[in-house]
Amino acid sequence: MTTLQDAAPGRVRIAGDRLRPVRIWLYAMASFVLLMVVVGGITRLTESGLSITSWKPISGIIPPLNAAQWQAEFDAYKEIPQFAAVHSWMSLEDFKGIFFWEWFHRLLGRLLGVVFLVPFLVFLVQKRLPRELTWPLFGLFLLGGFQGLLGWWMVSSGLSVLTSVSQYRLAAHLTAASLLLIALVYVARSLEPGRVIGRVSRGQMSRAVLLLIFVIFQIGAGAFVAGLDAGMGYNTWPLMDGALIPNGLYVMEPAWRNVFENGMTVQFNHRVIAYAITAYACWMIWRRSKDGGFGGVHAWLPRLGFIIVLQVCLGIATLLFHVPISLAVGHQALAFMLAGLVTAYIADMRRVR
């Protein structure tokens, strides 16, 4: 096997494009993470996330198979605060509906580990992975496992005192998922064969990285909106509670709590970050239009601008229609897709350089 190492660190090309199956696998993993985000969003919006009150990594794969097992799961759910405060009306049949989404979400998490590890080992045996890739890819596997631990840590926050999961832990779980998807896309895109046309300056690279940081930050901010059900209130736009800057943003003491625990402030901040990302992307596009247009690698920029505008419109619609599941899940999924596209742009710019 002939291995060629490019001048840029971390870029590897293998003669005959032996890395093509690896790229397909990594893109499939990124898509799998996106699927988990969608199912996780449905789980949260249907208030299903606390329906399974124990963590059984192996035996939990099998759902209840008879009436006695179903009753035992339902009885365990009745012991947590959410049942008494929110779902006391539920029958066993109603419980089965919310149980499915949490079980399915956990099943996907287990499958993610399997469909990552098995091809990874196969590629190692085939000597398809050069040394420069082996440990970074194993690190992605560990990151996926850590994501599973974060998921249970999040669920456990709603089993004793709270009637839903902690918004802090939800934000950690969702942000970690975005980082996993970003890492998968970046590695896969970096392994694309051939050269990328264009010229890239250090400033252009820095601006794209900053845009990605903004998107990650906004995903975390959106998790606080979801964790506090902050989107259920102030369902008008562009005004919020009758004003561009509403009263009551900092009524909690100490002031920092408002950023994470005041539903009005959390929603307001999410709006402001969206405005900032839109303005920043428009500035990037305008600046590039003055510096040579959108040929080659910079063809990504107008596409990113379109996705950002679409995401803003979807966010506004989600708010105005009082957070229907379809729009809310689409809004969350598109945020992850945007993060992936910005990552692909950065990877392509690095390949140019």
Side-chain angles (χ1 to χ4, degrees), residues 116-297:
F116 189 101
L117 185 60
V118 171
F120 176 70
L121 294 176
V122 170
F123 293 146
L124 282 179
V125 172
Q126 293 177 338
K127 300 186 185 304
R128 197 178 290 273
L129 297 176
R131 215 175 335 173
E132 294 84 355
L133 278 178
T134 302
W135 285 110
L137 290 177
F138 184 69
L140 291 183
F141 174 73
L142 294 180
L143 181 59
F146 178 67
Q147 175 69 354
L149 291 175
L150 276 179
W152 173 247
W153 180 62
M154 176 188 71
V155 168
S156 65
S157 67
L159 299 180
S160 56
V161 178
L162 302 176
T163 59
S164 61
V165 300
S166 162
Q167 70 271 26
Y168 294 97
R169 299 188 187 188
L170 174 61
H173 186 51
L174 198 63
T175 304
S178 72
L179 295 177
L180 178 59
L181 181 139
I182 286 167
L184 289 165
V185 171
Y186 182 80
V187 174
R189 193 72 187 178
S190 298
L191 299 178
E192 291 286 349
R195 298 186 62 83
V196 180
I197 300 172
R199 299 180 64 182
V200 175
S201 68
R202 183 174 297 178
Q204 289 167 338
M205 177 70 79
S206 298
R207 288 191 286 273
V209 170
L210 183 58
L211 176 61
L212 180 59
I213 292 172
F214 279 150
V215 172
I216 296 170
F217 191 68
Q218 180 69 324
I219 288 173
F224 279 98
V225 173
L228 291 173
D229 288 330
M232 300 296 184
Y234 313 106
N235 300 100
T236 58
W237 187 86
L239 299 182
M240 182 176 176
D241 200 28
L244 286 175
I245 303 177
N247 293 319
L249 291 177
Y250 288 93
V251 295
M252 291 183 174
E253 295 291 343
W256 65 264
R257 289 183 55 205
N258 292 276
V259 178
F260 306 107
E261 300 177 17
N262 183 338
M264 172 185 279
T265 309
V266 166
Q267 188 194 127
F268 178 77
N269 289 343
H270 193 52
R271 294 187 185 204
V272 170
I273 297 169
Y275 300 149
I277 290 174
T278 304
Y280 182 71
C282 288
W283 176 76
M284 286 179 65
I285 293 170
W286 172 82
R287 180 160 181 165
R288 182 58 205 167
S289 71
K290 301 295 183 182
D291 290 341
F294 305 104
V297 68

